[in-house]
Amino acid sequence: MVTRTQDRASNHSNNSSNNSHNGGSSGDHRGAFSWGENAGPLLGAALAGAAIGFAANYGRKALMQGMEAMTGQWDEILAAEHDMALAIFDKMLATDHSQTFKRKMLLMKLTHALDKHAHQEEMVVYPALRKANEAADADHLEGEHGYIKTFIYELNGMGADSPDWLDAVSEFRALVHEHAHMEEEQVFPHFKQGLSEEQNAKVTSLVNRDGFWMA
Ligand SMILES: [Fe+2]
Ligand SMILES: [Fe+2]
């Protein structure tokens, strides 16, 4: 079975924007909170560094949020994330045992993508499903998330050059594909139909908010 947009190219760019600015902190303040002769300049530099880090991170998150907000309703956001994860799997499956660095990088990227995605579903969509008397589906899907994490655990414990690596990734992909298919074709459409436009908008807003914190 092939999901609708499974073959969509993944052009997820790591857009770590550098639109932060230096606060231009000077270290010459000596007041009641001075921690010693040379603490001022050091503290100033540390605070400036923290500000740059915060601004860069905030800029990245704002960008991610903006991108997600443009992608549509909650079910479309989650379906696009399924496609993105499946595209990472395909890149993993195209590697050979000598490409250990690439395998490790792709596994990290996949772990982050699935972690963020699971957070959105487990904190918003599955609780909403339970409240709508669809607890059996929510519990089944959340149980599968546990097995998805188990694959990540297994791959982290396995050398990236292991002869079993590709088989494990292939099995892992099949589970995610089947799980995504059940969500996209069965559970989500049924649930969405039963919600008012306003309720759907609320779920979309919550999914965006939780995705923002995990970006
Ligand atoms: Fe899920
Ligand atoms: Fe999902």
Side-chain angles (χ1 to χ4, degrees):
M1 273 179 286
V2 175
T3 45
R4 33 171 213 97
T5 43
Q6 187 181 326
D7 59 351
R8 184 190 294 160
S10 162
N11 59 354
H12 178 71
S13 59
N14 257 342
N15 227 333
S16 50
S17 65
N18 285 327
N19 55 356
S20 57
H21 54 273
N22 192 333
S25 167
S26 130
D28 255 51
H29 276 290
R30 295 279 156 86
F33 297 101
S34 179
W35 293 346
E37 279 302 295
N38 296 315
L42 286 175
L43 192 59
L47 287 174
I52 290 167
F54 178 79
N57 198 33
Y58 183 79
R60 184 173 67 91
K61 286 193 169 190
L63 183 71
M64 298 284 294
Q65 189 188 37
M67 282 164 64
E68 278 171 347
M70 286 189 293
T71 55
Q73 298 202 343
W74 63 270
D75 57 324
E76 294 163 332
I77 293 167
L78 296 174
E81 290 179 0
H82 292 156
D83 292 340
M84 202 176 83
L86 291 170
I88 300 172
F89 275 114
D90 291 338
K91 287 184 183 168
M92 292 168 88
L93 290 170
T95 60
D96 66 50
H97 71 280
S98 71
Q99 295 172 290
T100 53
F101 180 75
K102 188 171 184 182
R103 284 181 170 187
K104 284 176 192 167
M105 289 298 109
L106 286 168
L107 180 59
M108 266 174 57
K109 193 173 171 181
L110 180 71
T111 301
H112 178 69
L114 291 176
D115 199 26
K116 172 178 176 283
H117 184 79
H119 186 77
Q120 290 163 307
E121 291 182 341
E122 290 174 13
M123 298 301 285
V124 181
V125 180
Y126 298 170
L129 275 167
R130 292 187 184 98
K131 288 287 180 189
N133 292 323
E134 293 180 38
D137 281 342
D139 293 346
H140 172 83
L141 290 168
E142 193 151 342
E144 285 191 339
H145 281 194
Y147 288 94
I148 288 171
K149 291 184 179 85
T150 305
F151 268 113
I152 293 172
Y153 176 80
E154 188 185 335
L155 282 166
N156 276 322
M158 186 187 285
D161 58 350
S162 164
D164 299 327
W165 198 87
L166 283 177
D167 281 346
V169 171
S170 180
E171 245 184 274
F172 187 6
R173 188 193 189 283
L175 171 63
V176 170
H177 180 264
E178 188 200 334
H179 177 90
H181 188 80
M182 180 178 171
E183 289 181 337
E184 286 182 34
E185 306 301 324
Q186 204 180 314
V187 180
F188 290 175
H190 181 251
F191 174 51
K192 190 179 180 183
Q193 259 180 8
L195 297 181
S196 67
E197 204 175 311
E198 196 183 2
Q199 287 170 322
N200 268 306
K202 179 71 182 164
V203 175
T204 298
S205 150
L206 289 172
V207 162
N208 271 320
R209 187 199 64 182
D210 275 52
F212 172 72
W213 289 119
M214 290 291 286

